[in-house]
Amino acid sequence: DVKVTQSSRYLVKRTGEKVFLECVQDMDHENMFWYRQDPGLGLRLIYFSYDVKMKEKGDIPEGYSVSREKKERFSLILESASTNQTSMYLCASSQPGTGTRSKLFFGSGTQLSVL
Amino acid sequence: SQELEQSPQSLIVQEGKNLTINCTSSKTLYGLYWYKQKYGEGLIFLMMLQKGGEEKSHEKITAKLDEKKQQSSLHITASQPSHAGIYLCGADKTGNTPLVFGKGTRLSVIA
């Protein structure tokens, strides 16, 4: 069964801490994505990557960075966590291309609370 | 940027009833994806529509894309408790671009 695995389901951090959210996929997908999901705002794209060592800013990249040293792993970094980064973080991966072939596969999410 | 409006925001239906969720775009869609999310979990792919007028079904769920490719509807027939969750539509703007999502419709099915 294909999988996108996020390292933690729940995480509690303090303001100012550096936070790493890890995501690993076993489908040899080229594309990987980080979204955050907030009530009333839906899913918003933070960063994405179409290849190893490549990254692109999404709609809300401020306060975040990413790392993709290996094809299967895409890490989201909160340089200095703030309370407004309390959210559900969802990682996804896909094949390049169009149509059903490029559908997103999502991880189970990480609920991050910043106190 | 492309916006997707979903309606209704939430829905409570009695088990066995039919329901429809709508997703409307401000621009012509290249592709429209429907996902389901169980509370506190990741999204599960349901269907993808690409051609104007296209319709697809999976078990008791049917999705349609209108001819102008700006509106999609998701219809559930004879709803069951297992259908409960959040339904999200996602749009591909031009092909191979990150999906933009609507805010979701929260469905509850009561006995």
Side-chain angles (χ1 to χ4, degrees):
Chain A
D1 216 10
V2 294
K3 255 192 164 178
V4 177
T5 303
Q6 294 184 231
S7 52
S8 307
R9 287 298 305 272
Y10 301 95
L11 212 51
V12 180
K13 296 291 181 181
R14 294 202 178 276
T15 304
E17 277 192 75
K18 190 168 185 176
V19 181
F20 293 85
L21 302 184
E22 305 288 348
C23 176
V24 177
Q25 49 96 3
D26 65 0
M27 295 168 280
D28 201 34
H29 282 171
E30 305 286 337
N31 305 338
M32 296 189 76
F33 308 85
W34 275 106
Y35 290 87
R36 64 176 281 179
Q37 184 179 28
D38 301 285
L41 296 176
L43 267 74
R44 292 179 291 166
L45 181 66
I46 306 172
Y47 267 97
F48 62 101
S49 168
Y50 284 162
D51 200 354
V52 176
K53 305 216 182 227
M54 175 267 185
K55 58 187 177 185
E56 291 279 352
K57 292 180 180 179
D59 299 318
I60 52 162
E62 296 78 20
Y64 303 94
S65 62
V66 289
S67 171
R68 193 160 182 208
E69 295 295 320
K70 292 185 178 181
K71 189 177 184 180
E72 67 270 19
R73 186 180 296 268
F74 193 35
S75 304
L76 181 70
I77 304 156
L78 286 66
E79 297 292 340
S80 177
S82 64
T83 54
N84 62 13
Q85 292 179 309
T86 291
S87 186
M88 168 71 99
Y89 289 87
L90 291 161
C91 174
S93 71
S94 73
Q95 290 280 34
T98 61
T100 306
R101 185 173 179 271
S102 63
K103 68 186 182 191
L104 294 177
F105 290 84
F106 281 86
S108 298
T110 296
Q111 181 62 54
L112 172 68
S113 297
V114 182
L115 307 178
Chain B
S1 63
Q2 178 141 29
E3 297 226 346
L4 291 177
E5 291 286 334
Q6 279 189 243
S7 62
Q9 287 186 324
S10 64
L11 199 50
I12 301 173
V13 299
Q14 202 164 18
E15 186 175 352
K17 297 293 186 185
N18 303 336
L19 63 107
T20 300
I21 298 168
N22 294 301
C23 176
T24 303
S25 170
S26 55
K27 298 179 183 177
T28 300
L29 300 166
Y30 182 85
L32 190 286
Y33 297 74
W34 282 101
Y35 284 84
K36 180 188 173 185
Q37 183 181 29
K38 290 189 177 177
Y39 301 118
E41 297 185 10
L43 281 67
I44 305 295
F45 172 79
L46 295 175
M47 279 170 279
M48 187 261 176
L49 304 162
Q50 203 166 6
K51 298 176 185 174
E54 188 174 10
E55 179 175 321
K56 286 187 178 176
S57 293
H58 173 68
E59 297 178 346
K60 292 186 177 179
I61 302 176
T62 300
K64 300 178 185 179
L65 183 62
D66 75 341
E67 289 290 343
K68 291 184 179 179
K69 296 174 63 174
Q70 286 190 266
Q71 185 165 9
S72 178
S73 59
L74 187 83
H75 184 77
I76 299 177
T77 303
S79 57
Q80 300 166 4
S82 61
H83 288 128
I86 300 171
Y87 289 82
L88 297 103
C89 61
D92 186 348
K93 290 185 263 191
T94 60
N96 202 33
T97 53
L99 295 190
V100 174
F101 286 89
K103 294 179 181 179
T105 295
R106 186 178 291 264
L107 171 65
S108 300
V109 180
I110 56 176

